[in-house]
Amino acid sequence: MAGTDSPAWPQCVHLDAGERCRGRRVGAYTACLAHLDSGERAAHLSTLTPGVELDHRGTPFTQSLLDELLAPLRGPGGGQARVGEASFDEVRFSGDAELRDVAFGGHCSFSSAVFDAGMYVREVRVGGDLRLAAARVAGDVWLDDTDVGADAWFYGARIAGALHFGVRVVVGSAVFKGMTCRTAYFTGARVVGAASFEGAVIDGEAAFDGVVFEDGAEFTEVRIGGRACFDGAHFHRSRACFDGADVGGDMPFAGAHFAMEVTFERAAIGGDLEFHGAQVDAGASFRRAVFRRTARIGPLVCTGRVDFSDAVFEAAVTVEAAAGEVLFRRTRWASTGALRLRQAGVDLEDAVLEFPVTVVGRPRAFVSREGEEIAEPGLPRRQVRVTSVKGVDAAFLVLVDVDLSTCLFVETVHLDQLRLEGGCVLSDPPPGRRWTPRKTLAEEHHWRATRYGGWTPAPSGIEPHSTAVLAPVYRQLRKALEDGRNEPGAADFYYGEMEMRRHAPHAARSERVLLGLYWALSGYGLRASRALAWLLLSMTATVLAMMLWGLPQSDPDPVSTGTTDGHRVTLTSKKPTPVNPEGPYTRRLSTARFEKSLRVVTNSVIFRASGQDLTTAGTYVEMTARFVEPALLGLAVLAVRSRVRR
């Protein structure tokens, strides 16, 4: 760009308003091409032949002067102009500048050039670099049907209008660092080398539809005021980086392909991120991104990890993703959120929820804009797994149809207000008769794995929690299910709570003994089969005790005694004390004695007196049975009720 410093080339001697022209002298002349007189110019142009190198740095140009320069470089029929290398650095074009049907054998440079209006490049072939670094264009820049054989440099270019980059192929790199323009259109271009838009500023919309970035693309710190469309774009061999980008509108990536990772770290997105039919082969990172008015993200299909850690969602949003893993650690939700996921493991650790957020395990595949199912290659079919809700305020969290078998719940806030809906799955104890079938938390597995075999140990980096920590977790989850009218599900959490209390090392011994008896007799009032088994065993023992010692040798008949006083008779009836049975035990185990004993025991179960004469031992046995057996029957009824109640 023109300045007060002396140029690095032989300078034109022409003075304009007291200032010396910065144009490069032509040949042996003392003036630049623009300031040669007509005769000198004609003489110089007559020496030019196709393929010649051009060096007109700093020269003021008009369209007519440019046409005059290129005319001798075209064929006899006025065909394509052929130029070797061309240097137009710091030139100044008055009016529109059009470069049409020209083939440059080497570089073509317009670095620091100034265009008072627009620049139009059509049907141009550049064998080397195309350079517009630090150029200033007052209007639009159009590059149509153009090929660049090396690098395309627009570093720091200032374009007041639109940039239409209709270049078919850039064999080298494409550098647009620090470029500014009103709008930008790169539809269908192919960049073989690396592409960089770092720090570029586009005031309006930008279109990269169908662009092929063979060696990835850097959009770090780019600013796009409107919509940025990447439908059908391809990013090969290297990552696509949008770190720190600020996009005011939507960013559709329908049909795009990312062979490597795509990153949006620290980006600010003002609209939707659409990924209909897009293919992400590695991973996608949205760490510390800010979604301002984003209503939808997805549907995104990724075989690797999708990371939203530390992201901020300022508006109500729906996230749709099918991935190996989706992380929402330390995210902040300033409005409602719906996470519709497939196949993924989901981590919500320390997420800050200011409004309700729902995590749904979607059973059906996502559909494209045309209504067709979106394929999920490389992803195993499995239920969505929530792996952690530690640190989350569960009052705003809803989990629907997800696998919670590995989920960490300890340190969750307001866990008693968590909503579990649909077919949420929890882990089971190890198989075998030793362990009661029930739903357990992953943290209980970690604790028991330190003492017993068959339980799942804690992953690396996670310390098992004590039973004193786990008991309140079970209690709060039980309350959450009870509030949701899911009594059978709450029963398993009650069982877990009691187990943790029974094994608590700092609990009073009397409490542990009492809980141990409660567990042994009825599984904390939740195992009807256990209570019924004890009831049957108690009744059997009571019948046996009655037959051996409780029933008398024979039922005593009442004996009446009386006195006669004239015509009055006074009688007193007494029943003799039952006589303890005698003789061998085998003789006492008779059918008659069994029937009497069974009637006594049956009446004891329902807390009724049998009316049967009993020995002193039988009386105490009956008293004990009338206390124990109805209690066991009640525990069995309670266990059945807890399983069928809704």
Side-chain angles (χ1 to χ4, degrees):
M1 188 172 179
T4 58
D5 56 314
S6 298
W9 54 81
Q11 187 175 2
C12 175
V13 299
H14 178 76
L15 294 175
D16 186 4
E19 292 188 7
R20 188 175 176 181
C21 173
R22 292 179 62 84
R24 191 185 193 284
R25 294 179 183 181
V26 174
Y29 301 104
T30 59
C32 66
L33 184 65
H35 293 122
L36 292 176
D37 60 35
S38 59
E40 292 173 335
R41 186 182 301 162
H44 171 70
L45 294 178
S46 66
T47 64
L48 301 182
T49 58
V52 69
E53 293 187 357
L54 299 178
D55 187 353
H56 295 282
R57 289 172 287 178
T59 301
F61 266 88
T62 62
Q63 184 63 49
S64 61
L65 181 60
L66 180 61
D67 292 341
E68 193 175 349
L69 173 63
L70 295 177
L73 307 182
R74 300 185 186 277
Q80 185 182 64
R82 292 189 294 110
V83 184
E85 287 194 3
S87 180
F88 295 95
D89 297 346
E90 296 190 25
V91 300
R92 186 177 193 109
F93 278 87
S94 299
D96 289 336
E98 182 178 18
L99 196 64
R100 179 186 290 272
D101 199 12
V102 182
F104 295 91
H107 304 317
C108 178
S109 178
F110 291 89
S111 295
S112 300
V114 176
F115 298 82
D116 291 343
M119 178 184 181
Y120 304 90
V121 180
R122 295 184 173 94
E123 301 177 26
V124 172
R125 307 292 180 270
V126 182
D129 295 344
L130 174 62
R131 300 171 182 162
L132 274 83
R136 305 291 187 270
V137 183
D140 298 337
V141 173
W142 288 74
L143 292 92
D144 292 336
D145 298 328
T146 299
D147 297 329
V148 180
D151 299 336
W153 283 85
F154 285 72
Y155 196 117
R158 299 291 183 266
I159 303 171
L163 171 60
H164 297 263
F165 195 78
V167 175
R168 283 188 293 262
V169 62
V170 178
V171 176
S173 300
V175 181
F176 297 86
K177 288 184 178 181
M179 179 197 74
T180 64
C181 61
R182 187 178 72 244
T183 54
Y185 305 93
F186 291 80
T187 304
R190 176 170 170 257
V191 182
V192 177
S196 176
F197 293 82
E198 182 179 349
V201 177
I202 302 172
D203 295 332
E205 67 176 7
F208 297 87
D209 307 57
V211 177
V212 177
F213 298 99
E214 294 285 355
D215 200 19
E218 291 279 342
F219 289 86
T220 306
E221 306 294 338
V222 71
R223 300 291 183 269
I224 302 175
R227 185 174 185 263
C229 182
F230 290 84
D231 286 346
H234 289 251
F235 300 84
H236 298 160
R237 292 202 306 271
S238 187
R239 70 172 186 165
C241 179
F242 296 87
D243 294 351
D246 189 334
V247 180
D250 297 341
M251 290 189 73
F253 289 89
H257 178 213
F258 300 90
M260 304 298 289
E261 185 182 23
V262 55
T263 62
F264 294 84
E265 298 185 4
R266 307 182 317 280
I269 310 298
D272 295 348
L273 275 170
E274 298 183 12
F275 291 90
H276 285 283
Q279 181 180 346
V280 182
D281 294 341
S285 177
F286 300 88
R287 294 176 61 88
R288 299 184 295 281
V290 177
F291 299 94
R292 294 172 178 155
R293 296 173 300 279
T294 305
R296 186 181 188 189
I297 301 174
L300 175 61
V301 177
C302 175
T303 55
R305 172 185 293 176
V306 180
D307 192 352
F308 287 93
S309 297
D310 300 293
V312 177
F313 299 87
E314 296 183 349
V317 63
T318 298
V319 179
E320 297 179 320
E325 185 178 17
V326 185
L327 305 182
F328 291 97
R329 295 172 180 168
R330 299 175 300 280
T331 49
R332 185 169 69 83
W333 303 79
S335 188
T336 57
L339 312 182
R340 300 173 182 172
L341 308 173
R342 284 179 54 79
Q343 326 300 357
V346 186
D347 190 344
L348 293 160
E349 184 172 335
D350 293 325
V352 179
L353 313 183
E354 300 176 20
F355 287 83
V357 173
T358 304
V359 181
V360 181
R362 183 184 172 96
R364 300 180 303 279
F366 298 114
V367 295
S368 65
R369 293 170 178 170
E370 295 75 24
E372 299 178 354
E373 288 192 356
I374 298 176
E376 300 170 356
L379 286 175
R381 296 185 61 85
R382 58 190 177 188
Q383 190 174 13
V384 170
R385 307 168 318 285
V386 177
T387 58
S388 178
V389 292
K390 290 176 58 178
V392 177
D393 187 345
F396 295 109
L397 184 60
V398 182
L399 304 178
V400 184
D401 291 328
V402 294
D403 185 346
L404 300 173
S405 59
T406 60
C407 185
L408 303 179
F409 287 97
V410 175
E411 299 177 14
T412 304
V413 182
H414 295 144
L415 194 55
D416 58 329
Q417 299 179 45
L418 174 67
R419 290 177 57 188
L420 300 178
E421 299 182 359
C424 291
V425 176
L426 289 156
S427 59
D428 297 317
R433 295 183 178 180
R434 180 177 182 181
W435 308 110
T436 301
R438 60 185 174 92
K439 300 304 178 184
T440 58
L441 300 183
E443 284 102 337
E444 182 180 347
H445 273 260
H446 303 164
W447 172 76
R448 289 190 183 272
T450 63
R451 293 162 172 78
Y452 313 104
W455 295 81
T456 304
S460 176
I462 297 179
E463 291 293 329
H465 294 283
S466 67
T467 55
V469 174
L470 297 181
V473 175
Y474 270 115
R475 185 182 307 119
Q476 292 180 68
L477 285 172
R478 170 176 62 84
K479 184 178 182 300
L481 266 64
E482 288 175 345
D483 292 344
R485 301 295 187 269
N486 184 357
E487 295 291 342
D492 280 343
F493 289 143
Y494 175 71
Y495 195 103
E497 175 192 351
M498 301 303 284
E499 278 287 273
M500 298 301 98
R501 289 177 58 189
R502 182 166 69 92
H503 290 284
H506 302 297
R509 181 178 180 84
S510 58
E511 180 182 356
R512 293 202 304 271
V513 170
L514 182 62
L515 290 175
L517 290 173
Y518 194 20
W519 166 78
L521 292 176
S522 64
Y524 308 114
L526 297 174
R527 298 297 179 260
S529 58
R530 190 177 303 180
L532 290 174
W534 279 108
L535 176 60
L536 180 61
L537 181 62
S538 175
M539 292 175 65
T540 302
T542 303
V543 168
L544 186 61
M546 286 294 182
M547 293 176 66
L548 295 177
W549 304 288
L551 296 179
Q553 182 72 24
S554 60
D555 292 333
D557 294 326
V559 176
S560 299
T561 60
T563 59
T564 301
D565 183 13
H567 298 286
R568 183 178 181 181
V569 178
T570 301
L571 298 177
T572 301
S573 298
K574 294 182 179 180
K575 180 175 287 188
T577 301
V579 179
N580 291 329
E582 298 177 352
Y585 287 144
T586 55
R587 292 181 57 186
R588 304 180 194 180
L589 300 177
S590 63
T591 303
R593 293 178 66 82
F594 172 76
E595 291 179 355
K596 292 179 181 180
S597 299
L598 185 60
R599 285 196 298 270
V600 172
V601 172
T602 303
N603 281 281
S604 296
V605 171
I606 59 177
F607 211 74
R608 289 178 57 186
S610 63
Q612 173 67 46
D613 292 319
L614 301 174
T615 64
T616 301
T619 300
Y620 283 106
V621 169
E622 183 186 39
M623 290 171 59
T624 303
R626 292 180 65 183
F627 173 77
V628 173
E629 291 166 3
L632 292 174
L633 180 61
L635 290 174
V637 172
L638 179 64
V640 172
R641 182 177 180 273
S642 67
R643 287 299 179 184
V644 300
R645 181 182 176 186
R646 292 297 185 206

